[in-house]
Amino acid sequence: MTVKDIFETMDYGAAPEAAGDALAWITDQGARFGCFIDGAFAAPGETFETKSPATGEVLAEITQATQADVDAAVNAARRAQGKWARLGGKGRARYLYALARLLQKHARLLAVLETMDNGKPIREARDIDVPLAQRHFYHHAGMAQLMDAELPGREALGVCGQIIPWNFPLLMLAWKVAPALAMGNTVVLKPAEWTSLTALCFADLCRQAGLPKGVVNIVTGDGAVGEMIVASDVDKIAFTGSTEVGRKIRAATAGRGIPLTLELGGKSPYIVFEDADIDSAVEGLVDAIWFNGGQVCCAGSRLLVQEGISEAFHTKLRARMDKLRIGNPLDKSIDVGAIVDPEQKNRIAALVDASDGVIHRAACAVPDGCYYPPTLITGLSTASPLMQEEVFGPVLVSTTFRTPAEAAEVANNTRYGLAASVWSENINTALDVAPKLAAGVVWVNGTNMFDAAAPFGGVRESGFGREGGWEGLQAYTKPVAKPKALKPVAALKGEDAEPQPVDRTAKLYIGGKQARPDGGYARNIFDKRGRLIGQAPIANRKDVRNAVEAARAAKGWAGASAHNRAQILYYIAENLAARADEFAARIDLTTGGSKGAAEVEAAISRLFTYGAWADKFDGRVAQAPMRGLAVALREPCGVIAALCPDAFPLLGLVSCMAPAIAMGNRTVLVASEPFPLVATDFYQVLETSDVPAGVVNILTGAASELAPTLASHVDIEAVWSFCGADVAQTIEAGAAGNLKRTWTERTARDWMGDVGEGREFLEAATEVKTVWVPYGA
Ligand code: NAI
């Protein structure tokens, strides 16, 4: 081609990045990789090929780890953990810093390896994946340094099992490994089977950094190896991948008493208002859906355009996508690379081919092989599979809306809730819609922005837990405490001879009203001398459903001002104080104890505590290294169901209710099973304290019988349980359905003490929403 030819077409020339160093690194390692266990590469076992999706060439052989490999890795991590934790935050910071430096030093090698193994454009691997991974290690080196001073009373969980996907192999490793190590954990990590190379290269860097052996272990292989990790003796599982596998992991870990974080799929809306800067919004869309070929969990894969500009916007969009360059990902001027594997390409093609929408494929030349053209689909109904299902490819679906209210409604019409983008030049419009979106991350006039300091994660079926920032560290620490066994608390016994008619029993409290139990059944309640002191209703599934419905209907509570919520908590405290003696006597009578007065006093104080917290548990502004702020806000979860502790019939109920309503949630509370009558008295206090109907609903009955209904109810966002291991198991297994958040405690808590209240409860009662706003731009 001559210069004249070039001027005639104005085509880009090829600008390939050299693959030599990366290939040499693979050859140096023997091109057959064993797992990295206890500080060394084990001999390769049975292997499978890892291929470059762009060329189909075999890059290396990777070991399919066996059960023995997983066991060896977990054991090595276990042996290393105590010493690693005792090194102290400042000691560990040096290693994390060394890893960050090594990632920086080998940036080019890692970027090229990533591109060859995954098919993503080198421009992205070089400018996004690798720099963000480095930044994650630098940031968390700092977190390790500050841990002892800033996180007093917190310690490492132990050994963390971590399973990651193929779309950002090195970056997802960094998101998992850096916070875990910083907080004193050791890890067993499994990369995705299609993309193991950068994880193995990272293992090599761990050796170079002199990381103590066993602190990082990498086991390779497919989902079966993932299952082995999940089943192994680890203290935590962190997973990023599909919602389907996330659900399986939730079910598999149910009842094990180990924390779990899930970062799952999405179908994130990209909302463009009429007053948006259209050219910027079109350009943003290129990053939202064609970044990494759309193989991004938070890809802006659902375009919502305001009706008035729809035609003009789509015309510009089609023109822009026709100009995208798709091809050899090692070419520095390529926009869209290869799809990670032919299997994934076939999956994308099948989903698109089954669609009845109007399909526009980019007019750009698409090379043969594992490539899929940028695609836009219009004319779909909201219920169409492509509007609802994650494609995980360069496929954008599009629809329109008329008003901001409709934009939020359409945006939220999905089971997912990972991210959302809002485009408008009017700050009022953008910041009015942002809080209405069910998403863990909202980008205003931007998209796909990430930073180590800014929490990332989803709501709904996009998973739970956050990665990044102070909020992300929570997933890798626990309070320093010696757990005490939870002793069963039995109801007092007596003569069942004198059953009373049901209508003389206490009632349930649903929607601000006293309600008879649906089944009409009640249980006799006795004092310690065996005398009948009353009857408590036995709630059933129908009562649970009614309570949840009432709670859902009380959604205005989330919008009440924090000051207003505080006032109501103080009012409840005041009204309880006015009846303190009566409650103390009732507690003593029903429990057969003598500490009723102290329990009432503690409950009043607890209400004051959360009245105090209601307007103080604020978010945080993360200063990401770009012209914007990431504002991490605390939002209520929605409806929280709590199975309250048995031992403290008043204080236990208040300890669950108060933080939840202080943060704007509505609650369904299951009262102490052995001593329910105190709770049925307590609703009289609520009735006189201006608590809006439906904000607090109280059920009595058997925790084990109500737990399955609560756990599987799709309109409950979170379930807490303080009723021991069996109920915890039921809750966690049932929660796999809609992946609701669970907080299940199986050990005893000192409810009268400081640990009966505070941040731990407030954190459980809130979701973090990270809103990225332009600032100084
Ligand atoms: P996947 O969820 O099956 O794989 C993610 C990781 O989990 C891999 O390391 C895999 O080996 C492992 N894994 C698979 N089955 C497992 C099990 N039963 N127990 C433990 N670990 C297991 O995702 P896959 O099959 O690679 O992709 C399928 C779809 O999932 C994609 O098309 C996309 O829709 C979605 N996906 C979403 C991701 C996200 O970041 N949200 C990432 C990857 C995939």
Side-chain angles (χ1 to χ4, degrees):
M1 190 184 270
T2 64
V3 171
K4 182 163 173 279
D5 295 335
I6 290 170
F7 272 101
E8 251 152 40
T9 65
M10 286 300 280
D11 267 355
Y12 286 93
E17 179 71 51
D21 289 351
L23 290 169
W25 178 81
I26 294 173
T27 311
D28 281 354
Q29 309 290 314
R32 285 187 84 222
F33 290 86
C35 296
F36 183 73
I37 298 173
D38 209 14
F41 281 100
E46 199 176 301
T47 58
F48 58 92
E49 291 173 341
T50 192
K51 292 181 182 170
S52 154
T55 62
E57 97 191 89
V58 175
L59 296 172
E61 303 261 325
I62 308 288
T63 290
Q64 169 72 15
T66 60
Q67 184 66 54
D69 294 325
V70 172
D71 291 346
V74 173
N75 289 338
R78 177 73 61 204
R79 283 194 304 275
Q81 199 266 323
K83 202 166 166 199
W84 178 243
R86 285 192 298 278
L87 197 56
K90 290 181 175 147
R92 293 191 300 273
R94 298 300 167 94
Y95 286 104
L96 281 140
Y97 182 75
L99 284 169
R101 296 283 293 159
L102 282 164
L103 286 172
Q104 206 168 16
K105 189 167 153 196
H106 296 288
R108 193 167 161 280
L109 166 66
L110 287 161
V112 175
L113 260 186
E114 198 77 303
T115 285
M116 289 198 312
D117 205 13
N118 166 281
K120 65 175 64 206
I122 185 70
R123 205 158 47 86
E124 293 178 9
R126 182 195 63 195
D127 297 346
I128 296 167
D129 295 55
V130 175
L132 281 177
Q134 291 160 14
R135 163 122 175 98
H136 225 76
F137 274 92
Y138 278 122
H139 185 77
H140 286 90
M143 290 300 199
Q145 182 78 16
L146 300 178
M147 180 182 179
D148 301 341
E150 295 300 315
L151 300 172
R154 307 285 300 179
E155 66 180 4
L157 294 168
V159 176
C160 300
Q162 307 184 314
I163 300 164
I164 57 171
W166 41 259
N167 52 348
F168 292 91
L170 181 70
L171 184 57
M172 289 303 104
L173 174 147
W175 280 23
K176 296 274 178 285
V177 172
L181 261 47
M183 296 295 105
N185 304 277
T186 54
V187 305
V188 175
L189 176 133
K190 189 192 89 63
E193 52 273 41
W194 289 332
T195 55
S196 309
L197 288 177
T198 46
L200 294 164
C201 189
F202 176 77
D204 196 21
L205 299 184
C206 289
R207 273 198 315 201
Q208 290 182 39
L211 196 70
K213 58 184 194 172
V215 170
V216 168
N217 303 275
I218 310 277
V219 289
T220 47
D222 61 13
V225 182
E227 280 179 46
M228 290 176 208
I229 295 177
V230 170
S232 69
D233 175 31
V234 290
D235 304 302
K236 184 216 161 62
I237 292 287
F239 172 77
T240 298
S242 61
T243 296
E244 192 195 336
V245 173
R247 202 169 269 133
K248 281 191 202 164
I249 294 178
R250 170 67 291 179
T253 53
R256 295 245 312 268
I258 56 170
L260 171 67
T261 41
L262 298 175
E263 203 273 271
L264 309 175
K267 189 80 187 176
S268 297
Y270 188 97
I271 307 168
V272 186
F273 284 96
E274 271 169 4
D275 55 10
D277 172 344
I278 306 241
D279 290 320
S280 297
V282 167
E283 209 48 46
L285 202 42
V286 171
D287 279 337
I289 185 63
W290 294 304
F291 169 52
N292 200 14
Q295 303 165 108
V296 181
C297 51
C298 51
S301 53
R302 252 186 328 140
L303 170 64
L304 275 57
V305 188
Q306 199 161 12
E307 227 169 59
I309 55 158
S310 173
E311 215 177 300
F313 188 87
H314 282 89
T315 304
K316 284 201 175 201
L317 173 60
R318 280 190 292 267
R320 179 66 182 92
M321 62 191 274
D322 288 348
K323 289 256 181 311
L324 289 170
R325 302 188 76 234
I326 174 166
N328 175 13
L330 278 174
D331 183 337
K332 282 175 269 199
S333 54
I334 278 298
D335 299 312
V336 181
I339 298 297
V340 68
D341 189 271
E343 190 184 318
Q344 182 67 5
K345 182 188 155 187
N346 294 340
R347 207 181 144 266
I348 298 166
L351 276 166
V352 173
D353 293 347
S355 143
D356 56 358
V358 182
I359 301 174
H360 175 82
R361 291 193 173 85
C364 53
V366 179
D368 288 340
C370 199
Y371 293 93
Y372 197 86
T375 302
L376 166 69
I377 307 184
T378 52
L380 294 166
S381 72
T382 40
S384 148
L386 272 185
M387 285 298 254
Q388 295 293 333
E389 295 306 317
E390 186 175 39
V391 177
F392 231 64
V395 179
L396 175 68
V397 295
S398 160
T399 188
T400 58
F401 66 88
R402 289 186 184 159
T403 60
E406 198 194 347
E409 196 183 310
V410 178
N412 292 342
N413 182 9
T414 163
R415 63 196 170 104
Y416 296 114
L418 192 51
S421 291
V422 182
W423 290 79
S424 168
E425 289 298 285
N426 184 336
I427 190 171
N428 300 312
T429 306
L431 296 185
D432 176 53
V433 166
K436 297 185 177 127
L437 299 172
V441 183
V442 178
W443 293 294
V444 174
N445 291 329
T447 192
N448 276 337
M449 289 183 273
F450 312 100
D451 184 56
F456 180 91
V459 297
R460 298 181 172 178
E461 292 186 30
S462 293
F464 43 79
R466 292 292 177 268
E467 296 189 297
W470 293 100
E471 295 80 359
L473 297 181
Q474 229 180 301
Y476 288 101
T477 60
K478 61 176 195 269
V480 181
K482 289 251 176 302
K484 283 202 210 106
L486 183 66
K487 293 198 197 101
V489 183
L492 301 175
K493 292 205 169 46
E495 274 295 319
D496 267 331
E498 302 169 56
Q500 298 180 0
V502 164
D503 59 2
R504 286 181 53 203
T505 63
K507 308 272 188 315
L508 306 171
Y509 185 61
I510 297 176
K513 294 200 181 74
Q514 302 190 17
R516 271 204 190 90
D518 169 70
Y521 292 105
R523 208 184 92 212
N524 287 338
I525 306 292
F526 302 97
D527 70 5
K528 69 177 173 189
R529 289 158 67 183
R531 290 178 306 201
L532 187 68
I533 52 171
Q535 289 192 310
I538 300 176
N540 65 13
R541 294 157 157 260
K542 180 81 185 341
D543 298 309
V544 169
R545 283 202 289 270
N546 290 343
V548 175
E549 213 170 285
R552 282 238 86 81
K555 56 180 182 292
W557 183 246
S561 73
H563 175 75
N564 180 228
R565 296 197 298 258
Q567 295 303 108
I568 287 178
L569 281 154
Y570 290 134
Y571 199 15
I572 302 172
E574 227 176 80
N575 285 327
L576 181 59
R579 293 174 60 179
D581 294 345
E582 184 195 329
F583 269 89
R586 190 74 158 159
I587 292 170
D588 288 346
L589 179 69
T590 56
T591 61
S594 59
K595 300 208 174 102
E599 183 172 341
V600 174
E601 195 40 54
I604 294 167
S605 167
R606 195 136 295 165
L607 288 160
F608 269 95
T609 297
Y610 289 111
W613 266 123
D615 60 355
K616 294 173 193 67
F617 192 59
D618 296 324
R620 178 178 73 85
V621 177
Q623 308 232 1
M626 54 186 72
R627 283 172 299 182
L629 296 174
V631 186
L633 298 159
R634 293 273 175 186
E635 287 192 341
C637 299
V639 174
I640 297 181
L643 294 127
C644 304
D646 285 340
F648 294 90
L650 178 67
L651 180 62
L653 188 94
V654 165
S655 301
C656 295
M657 178 198 78
I661 68 171
M663 294 296 104
N665 301 280
R666 293 91 82 197
T667 56
V668 175
L669 306 172
V670 178
S672 160
E673 187 175 332
F675 315 126
L677 291 184
V678 181
T680 62
D681 289 353
F682 183 67
Y683 56 57
Q684 296 161 5
V685 173
L686 298 176
E687 277 170 340
T688 54
S689 305
D690 290 349
V691 180
V695 171
V696 180
N697 302 277
I698 300 178
L699 303 178
T700 52
S704 57
E705 272 162 37
L706 295 172
T709 314
L710 292 167
S712 59
H713 201 300
V714 291
D715 280 333
I716 294 176
E717 275 80 18
V719 182
W720 302 353
S721 144
F722 301 95
C723 302
D726 290 348
V727 174
Q729 205 276 341
T730 308
I731 298 287
E732 288 171 359
N738 74 340
L739 289 165
K740 57 173 69 69
R741 289 101 200 87
T742 60
W743 181 19
T744 56
E745 212 158 72
R746 57 211 65 219
T747 51
R749 183 177 277 265
D750 175 13
W751 291 101
M752 297 289 283
D754 288 348
V755 295
E757 64 183 29
R759 286 183 177 274
E760 205 181 348
F761 289 80
L762 296 162
E763 277 157 6
T766 49
E767 292 280 8
V768 175
K769 178 185 257 178
T770 308
V771 182
W772 291 72
V773 287
Y775 192 75

